[in-house]
Amino acid sequence: MLRHTRVLVSGLAAVTLAVTTAPLRGQVRVASPDGRNQVTVEVREGRLTWRLTRDGRALILPSLLGFEFRGAPPLLGALRITDTTRQSHDEWWTQPWGEVARVRDHHNELAVSVEETAAPNRRFVLRVRAFDDGVGFRYEFPEQPGLGAFEITDELTEFALADNARAWWIPSNRPRMDRSEMLYSEGPMSLLDSVQTPLTMETRDGRTFMVIHEANLVDYARMDLAGRRGESRTLRAALAPLADGIKVRGRTPFVTPWRTMQLADRATDLAPSVLGLNLNPPNVLAGTDWIRPMKYVGIWWGLHIGAMTWGAGPRHGATTANARRYIDFAAANGFGGVLVEGWNVGWDGDWIANRSAFSFTRAYPDYDLAEVAAYARRKGVRLIVHNETSGGIENYERQMDSAFALYRSLGLDAIKTGYVTDTTSEGHSHWSQYMVRHYRRVIETAARYGIMLDVHEPIHDTGERRTWPNMMTREGSRGQEYNAWGGDGGNPPEHETILFFTRLLAGPMDFTPGIFDLLIERGTGRPRRPDEPRVRTTLAKQLALYVTIYSPLQMAADLPENYEGQPAFQFIRDVAVDWDTTRVLDARIGDYVAVARRERGGQTWFVGAITDEEGRTLDVPLSFLTPGRRYVAEIYADGPNAHWLDNPLPVTITRRAVSSATWLRLVLAPGGGQAIRIRPAG
Ligand code: NOJ
Ligand code: CA
């Protein structure tokens, strides 16, 4: 018998509480508020399992839950359910910035108390939350005689897929790839061996989209997924190791991150993804006024195309004079920030090998940090300080307080960090518990000094920004920089149409769009050979990326001189970086996506549509506009015969009157896109 106590909290939140008094069987269930998603937790022959159905159809078959430890028996068999409690929650909360302003956290929760029937009689709680857009569960270990300090060698959580779903994935077990900067592959999930999350899948009948990820990763190892290539459809949690092979060290009381599975009927319903945010604690910062989304430019692309250097020399990029030039450009064009890379001592020679030599306070002699900071302040521009650690973690942590204090004293409130490494200087995996703690420490320290963060080579996003809104954006995927380098030749035209449904479901990405000199000619001062690096999009697609790839810090990545005399640059000046609403209008993963977003606190909408190597025509209704209101659409479309390969530059800019009844026909060139600003008329 269930005894429900319904507590209605006026206005915003309604909370239902209920406590079971039922005699316990081996099986308990919780369903989402709409009843469609149902998780069953069950003890089968002493082992704890979970499974998931949607509309009564199995998505996850009974899947193992448990752990292995060093120096203690596995927590796996001889288990029984001793108690369950339930509660429901319905609340709207507001993000200080985001893809959407308001988020609804509406879920039913089931907490299952589990105990070993034999010594050491360890106990834990499996907490499950069922939302309309997915489910999450985590393990909680209370303080207890049989479990104090522990060392986890393996987490046994499984996801036994009922269907050989189609997956979009990047590997996690290849050497030198601890940075998520890979191209996505697509294929049946049964062929996966080791992959990163978010892992996006579509059932073979196309009825359900599923995304496995994690939320609220605080003091644990990052989770990847290991499959048994060709042998089964079961994926298992695979935790990144510390230097000594242990996955997680802890002491009760202890909670794990949430294991999450987002669910949707259509690809267009996957974004914006808020499941992970709802599974993180609310904002802990007293005030967030100083945290402001912005567009920025910087001494950056020139470094990657070889026109400038990070280290000292005749082409040193971070000179006082150069920084002032970028600040002037930012101020003249209404950009909020200027990033300066290569300003601090440590870049000369092999900066990855010499990672412990980076200073985060000492500038090169040709860069006057205080002067540049003062100049930026006078111009109303924020200087974004660059801290590349190369994975020299102790070196960074030793300097962090004094460096952040210096930046603050100069009025600097944004840092871009970097972790170009696979293993830290201390020998730990880039994704280990050690690094998870480090990334958190940086977020918390930065918050104390009033500093916003843009993290490159990060741990994947697990929703930290809800609790710590100074954690703005991160890389954690293959960004524009790959188009500047040689090697395997940059990102193919389909890349961003996959990113939208994979990496970006975790959170914002500092992709750094906006390259206009797509053949990278002017920065190098000479035409490039066909086999040299270039950008594989049209120019209109570079504009559309500002709307499709969400980031609260959004770069105009090209050299300022490449924007001169370019009418299309107006779109980058106009586009918003903070949103009230986001709607995915049309999409097919890996083929194309069209998104509409309304600027935060305003009535102007922006539409971005991108395609892969195929040209396409999309008809999109503007029914999201306010009915009865007149708008002007400023349309930046691929020009006549535009093609990413041999004619990427033509952009046609037109204006037309539109309303909520208008359908727009978007003609996208191969590798192309379209960017539209829709503002109220008059
Ligand atoms: C890799 C980052 O992604 C890039 O943005 C940065 O310029 C380099 N590391 C140097 O820190
Ligand atoms: Ca990178």
Side-chain angles (χ1 to χ4, degrees):
M1 273 275 287
L2 278 180
R3 199 178 62 227
H4 278 272
T5 326
R6 189 164 171 85
V7 186
L8 272 177
V9 183
S10 67
L12 294 180
V15 179
T16 310
L17 296 169
V19 182
T20 54
T21 52
L24 284 161
R25 276 162 283 138
Q27 191 184 83
V28 280
R29 289 202 167 96
V30 61
S32 53
D34 66 4
R36 298 183 63 192
N37 308 324
Q38 189 174 72
V39 174
T40 304
V41 178
E42 185 179 5
V43 174
R44 300 178 152 225
E45 293 164 5
R47 293 182 163 203
L48 192 69
T49 64
W50 76 286
R51 62 191 157 94
L52 169 68
T53 58
R54 182 166 167 91
D55 302 327
R57 193 167 69 114
L59 294 179
I60 297 287
L61 302 172
S63 299
L64 205 57
L65 297 162
F67 293 89
E68 283 176 358
F69 300 96
R70 182 158 82 178
L75 188 56
L76 178 62
L79 296 173
R80 70 185 181 99
I81 294 174
T82 56
D83 194 13
T84 57
T85 58
R86 290 168 186 278
Q87 60 176 13
S88 300
H89 190 81
D90 191 2
E91 175 200 12
W92 284 90
W93 56 278
T94 302
Q95 307 204 74
W97 50 266
E99 271 176 290
V100 288
R102 306 259 297 145
V103 179
R104 186 179 185 185
D105 174 0
H106 190 196
H107 67 258
N108 293 325
E109 179 183 288
L110 167 69
V112 186
S113 299
V114 182
E115 193 177 281
E116 283 178 310
T117 53
N121 298 101
R122 290 166 296 187
R123 294 182 283 114
F124 65 95
V125 172
L126 184 78
R127 191 173 302 277
V128 187
R129 288 189 184 163
F131 302 77
D132 292 350
D133 60 346
V135 301
F137 61 84
R138 72 175 183 193
Y139 305 86
E140 303 176 354
F141 296 96
E143 213 171 337
Q144 56 192 290
L147 190 59
F150 58 81
E151 293 179 329
I152 295 174
T153 52
D154 252 321
E155 179 183 322
L156 304 175
T157 304
E158 286 182 347
F159 301 81
L161 272 291
D163 181 68
N164 192 12
R166 179 180 180 194
W168 287 265
W169 56 276
I170 50 175
S172 60
N173 64 351
R174 311 291 191 267
R176 294 200 51 77
M177 285 212 165
D178 262 11
R179 282 183 258 145
S180 308
E181 298 179 4
M182 285 153 274
L183 294 176
Y184 281 80
S185 301
E186 177 246 299
M189 62 74 48
S190 61
L191 294 183
L192 302 180
D193 54 13
S194 185
V195 296
Q196 303 188 26
T197 74
L199 173 66
T200 301
M201 293 174 286
E202 176 186 4
T203 55
R204 274 173 306 173
D205 61 9
R207 269 176 66 186
T208 308
F209 290 81
M210 309 173 281
V211 186
I212 301 178
H213 191 39
E214 62 178 316
N216 198 25
L217 172 58
V218 181
D219 185 15
Y220 204 78
R222 165 181 155 147
M223 179 179 77
D224 295 315
L225 297 169
R228 286 182 229 131
R229 201 181 161 78
E231 283 171 32
S232 82
R233 295 200 296 257
T234 297
L235 300 170
R236 204 174 94 178
L239 304 181
L242 294 162
D244 62 1
I246 297 294
K247 306 291 173 42
V248 177
R249 288 201 158 80
R251 167 180 288 282
T252 57
F254 190 86
V255 298
T256 70
W258 295 92
R259 277 64 188 94
T260 62
M261 199 149 167
Q262 194 192 338
L263 301 168
D265 300 329
R266 287 173 296 266
T268 49
D269 294 340
L270 286 171
S273 171
V274 296
L275 178 70
L277 291 175
N278 277 329
L279 290 168
N280 271 266
N283 169 29
V284 293
L285 299 181
T288 56
D289 289 355
W290 57 276
I291 302 173
R292 285 207 302 264
M294 61 182 171
K295 282 172 283 188
Y296 71 98
V297 291
I299 296 174
W300 181 77
W301 184 246
L303 300 162
H304 287 271
I305 61 176
M308 305 170 180
T309 59
W310 281 275
R315 286 181 296 126
H316 185 218
T319 63
T320 302
N322 220 0
R324 289 172 75 121
R325 191 166 69 86
Y326 275 78
I327 291 166
D328 289 342
F329 181 78
N333 290 287
F335 293 133
V338 171
L339 164 72
V340 179
E341 295 203 1
W343 67 275
N344 58 319
V345 172
W347 290 94
D348 300 315
D350 185 341
W351 52 268
I352 300 182
N354 301 332
R355 53 193 175 185
S356 296
F358 272 119
S359 166
F360 299 100
T361 50
R362 276 182 41 232
Y364 277 113
D366 53 354
Y367 184 77
D368 187 332
L369 178 64
E371 189 192 320
V372 174
Y375 188 70
R377 209 169 39 247
R378 279 206 303 282
K379 292 276 182 165
V381 169
R382 302 168 116 169
L383 193 60
I384 304 174
V385 188
H386 186 230
N387 286 177
E388 172 60 61
T389 68
S390 303
I393 303 304
E394 282 176 11
N395 181 50
Y396 191 42
E397 293 200 347
R398 203 178 320 117
Q399 299 182 51
M400 211 155 67
D401 263 295
S402 51
F404 290 10
L406 169 69
Y407 307 155
R408 193 190 161 98
S409 74
L410 297 173
L412 311 178
D413 62 2
I415 299 178
K416 170 179 170 179
T417 57
Y419 295 85
V420 174
T421 183
D422 292 310
T423 310
T424 72
S425 51
E426 300 71 32
H428 303 293
S429 149
H430 197 146
W431 295 335
S432 61
Q433 182 184 24
Y434 175 86
M435 282 303 280
V436 170
R437 284 179 176 167
H438 168 73
Y439 286 112
R440 272 285 162 152
R441 199 169 296 141
V442 177
I443 295 174
E444 294 177 18
T445 310
R448 257 205 328 277
Y449 287 96
I451 288 172
M452 299 180 274
L453 286 171
D454 169 4
V455 183
H456 277 233
E457 299 81 34
I459 289 270
H460 58 192
D461 193 325
T462 67
E464 298 67 17
R465 66 190 181 282
R466 178 167 183 197
T467 316
W468 300 97
N470 63 313
M471 177 61 241
M472 304 286 282
T473 191
R474 64 184 92 197
E475 188 188 38
S477 200
R478 193 166 152 128
Q480 184 95 274
E481 61 185 11
Y482 278 77
N483 295 327
W485 308 338
D488 57 6
N491 302 325
E494 68 167 6
H495 182 54
E496 301 86 1
T497 69
I498 304 175
L499 278 188
F500 187 89
F501 295 101
T502 50
R503 162 66 185 81
L504 283 155
L505 299 178
M509 176 179 176
D510 188 30
F511 179 86
T512 67
I515 299 303
F516 276 23
D517 180 19
L518 296 160
L519 302 176
I520 314 180
E521 288 169 339
R522 288 170 73 185
T524 55
R526 65 179 168 79
R528 301 231 126 189
R529 293 192 317 266
D531 60 330
E532 283 187 298
R534 55 159 298 190
V535 182
R536 286 168 171 70
T537 71
T538 65
L539 201 150
K541 181 169 172 178
Q542 287 293 314
L543 302 179
L545 293 176
Y546 285 89
V547 187
T548 52
I549 296 187
Y550 169 62
S551 182
L553 300 178
Q554 193 73 285
M555 190 175 203
D558 212 337
L559 309 173
E561 53 267 38
N562 289 340
Y563 294 128
E564 270 163 29
Q566 294 274 7
F569 183 51
Q570 187 59 39
F571 183 82
I572 303 182
R573 295 171 49 140
D574 290 340
V575 69
V577 282
D578 193 16
W579 310 102
D580 262 333
T581 307
T582 288
R583 308 254 177 87
V584 184
L585 305 175
D586 198 359
R588 212 160 53 219
I589 304 180
D591 294 341
Y592 66 92
V593 54
V595 192
R597 305 189 197 261
R598 196 181 69 229
E599 68 178 354
R600 187 84 180 242
Q603 290 307 317
T604 299
W605 287 79
F606 292 85
V607 174
I610 57 173
T611 179
D612 61 1
E613 67 289 343
E614 303 273 331
R616 321 181 182 265
T617 300
L618 307 177
D619 289 307
V620 299
L622 303 188
S623 50
F624 49 82
L625 298 176
T626 306
R629 193 159 189 174
R630 293 184 309 118
Y631 294 83
V632 176
E634 298 162 0
I635 301 171
Y636 298 73
D638 286 318
N641 301 318
H643 193 298
W644 72 268
L645 181 61
D646 53 15
N647 192 27
L649 298 179
V651 176
T652 303
I653 305 173
T654 51
R655 265 175 202 208
R656 58 171 285 193
V658 295
S659 72
S660 64
T662 308
W663 283 72
L664 283 184
R665 168 155 291 193
L666 316 185
V667 181
L668 314 179
Q674 191 164 132
I676 310 172
R677 177 188 189 218
I678 307 177
R679 57 178 172 80

